[in-house]
Amino acid sequence: MRQHTEDTLTDAVVARLAKTRDPRLKQVMTSLVRHLHAFAREVNLTEEEWFEGIKFLTAVGQKCDDKRQEFILLSDVLGLSMMVVSLNHETPPGATEATVLGPFFAHGAKEHGYGADLRQGATQKGEDVWVSGKVLSLDGRPIPNAALDIWQAKADGIYDLQTEGEFELRGRVRANDKGEYAFASYKPSFYSIPMDGPVGELIRATTGDHMRPAHMHAIVSAPGYQQVITHVFVEGDPHLDGDAVYAVKDSLVGKYRKVDSPGEAKKLGMPNPFLRLEWDFRLAPAGEAKARRKIAASDAVT
Ligand code: BEZ
Ligand code: FE
């Protein structure tokens, strides 16, 4: 058939996609086309509106460079990043929950051992915090030598990658052979997601919700265990209920306790008083993560 109408067009595209050799690509593209067509029909999309949409997506792409990832930001504010995280990480009971990666992870941060000082070279001061804990398996056994990739915004809520400077408040911290890790940093503060691009314009025109509650990012990895991409949020933060990217989980909210003890401060090389966050990460064994995807693939539309 060469002549298509609003009623036959979707099936025509889907029929053509039936030739796709990769079954997963066929499933994803077929579903995408069905949903895109249904969306256009549901809102009665005008040509002017779709052209605005194309201009918006073009601007999102043009805003991206090696430091700025506007498409990740778009996915985050639409809740799609958290949807994909939820679909792919059915956290077993007791395991540290996963949340969004966000656009500010960077490879190549400096490697540190137990007791690292991530404040070194920081261009702004904050409240000093000693972060310590263990990396554990689900049955509570310490996992030796796990790697913790840590990053957070500076005191002004801006990430180092958003500026011209060097890496700041980030590092790859190695746990010791007893599974213990520790480092000094500054207490994170809440911040606005970048609002100077097309995603910011979209937020201003829609929800207005652009704040992220204070958090530290961590990616925790160890051989034989599922890597977890997660955050530790700050208890009491005013933005925990309105996170711009829907990434808060109750299990990821940590208490920053004030310590006023010259002896303890001296022992840890911290000023007195200081804050302390005690936080354990619990990793699930490798090999259980893809169960749901496999089930979904076997239900594939053919
Ligand atoms: C972040 O936590 O770094 C982040 C996540 C999503 C959007 C913007 C920032
Ligand atoms: Fe962040």
Side-chain angles (χ1 to χ4, degrees):
M1 199 205 279
R2 66 162 84 144
Q3 185 162 315
H4 301 292
T5 67
E6 180 192 324
D7 296 323
T8 64
L9 188 57
T10 307
D11 286 343
V13 180
V14 167
R16 220 173 258 189
L17 283 169
K19 288 181 284 195
T20 309
R21 275 192 297 278
D22 179 327
R24 177 66 178 162
L25 181 61
K26 177 158 75 175
Q27 180 193 18
V28 170
M29 287 306 300
T30 299
S31 178
L32 182 66
V33 165
R34 285 195 194 286
H35 283 86
L36 283 174
H37 287 210
F39 151 73
R41 266 198 295 269
E42 183 179 311
V43 301
N44 234 329
L45 197 64
T46 67
E47 286 161 294
E48 291 76 15
E49 287 165 343
W50 181 221
F51 191 57
E52 280 305 309
I54 287 174
K55 282 201 299 194
F56 172 76
L57 291 172
T58 305
V60 170
Q62 286 170 339
K63 194 76 187 165
C64 295
D65 58 28
D66 56 344
K67 283 186 161 182
R68 175 80 179 248
Q69 232 309 347
E70 195 78 356
F71 269 113
I72 295 185
L73 193 59
L74 178 59
S75 162
D76 292 341
V77 301
L78 294 179
L80 186 56
S81 301
M82 268 318 282
M83 176 60 77
V84 174
V85 168
S86 306
L87 289 171
N88 286 278
H89 298 272
E90 266 174 292
T91 318
T96 298
E97 291 194 271
T99 190
V100 289
L101 175 68
F104 298 124
F105 172 69
H107 291 281
K110 198 167 156 200
E111 305 237 355
H112 301 271
Y114 184 91
D117 188 353
L118 302 189
R119 299 165 302 178
Q120 268 176 12
T123 53
Q124 288 164 23
K125 290 203 178 306
E127 288 182 80
D128 298 278
V129 56
W130 181 256
V131 185
S132 64
K134 288 186 176 165
V135 182
L136 300 167
S137 65
L138 293 187
D139 53 7
R141 276 177 298 117
I143 302 175
N145 310 120
L148 298 94
D149 283 291
I150 304 292
W151 72 104
Q152 68 174 71
K154 295 178 287 160
D156 61 0
I158 303 284
Y159 278 84
D160 51 1
L161 296 190
Q162 295 173 277
T163 67
E164 293 303 312
E166 299 291 308
F167 278 179
E168 268 184 69
L169 298 181
R170 65 173 77 224
R172 173 164 253 241
V173 178
R174 186 71 64 183
N176 65 17
D177 56 4
K178 295 196 273 288
E180 298 159 340
Y181 75 90
F183 59 88
S185 187
Y186 292 126
K187 184 183 174 193
S189 43
F190 55 73
Y191 62 83
S192 169
I193 60 167
M195 291 291 283
D196 59 341
V199 172
E201 227 173 286
L202 179 68
I203 293 285
R204 273 190 288 274
T206 55
T207 65
D209 290 335
H210 62 103
M211 295 303 290
R212 293 228 57 209
H215 58 275
M216 155 189 116
H217 292 258
I219 302 179
V220 187
S221 335
Y225 293 87
Q226 283 175 44
Q227 181 187 71
V228 67
I229 299 176
T230 190
H231 289 13
V232 184
F233 293 95
V234 177
E235 190 180 274
D237 187 280
H239 300 288
L240 284 170
D241 290 325
D243 185 3
V245 304
Y246 310 95
V248 176
K249 309 256 184 196
D250 288 335
S251 73
L252 301 181
V253 180
K255 197 177 183 68
Y256 283 69
R257 211 166 34 86
K258 185 169 171 191
V259 179
D260 190 351
S261 159
E264 208 175 330
K266 184 152 185 246
K267 201 171 78 196
L268 298 173
M270 297 294 282
N272 192 58
F274 65 102
L275 296 171
R276 184 155 197 167
L277 170 69
E278 285 167 281
W279 194 259
D280 292 342
F281 294 95
R282 287 191 162 72
L283 303 186
E288 290 175 9
K290 295 282 183 273
R292 182 188 269 214
R293 165 94 189 271
K294 279 198 195 114
I295 292 163
S298 70
D299 291 340
V301 186
T302 47

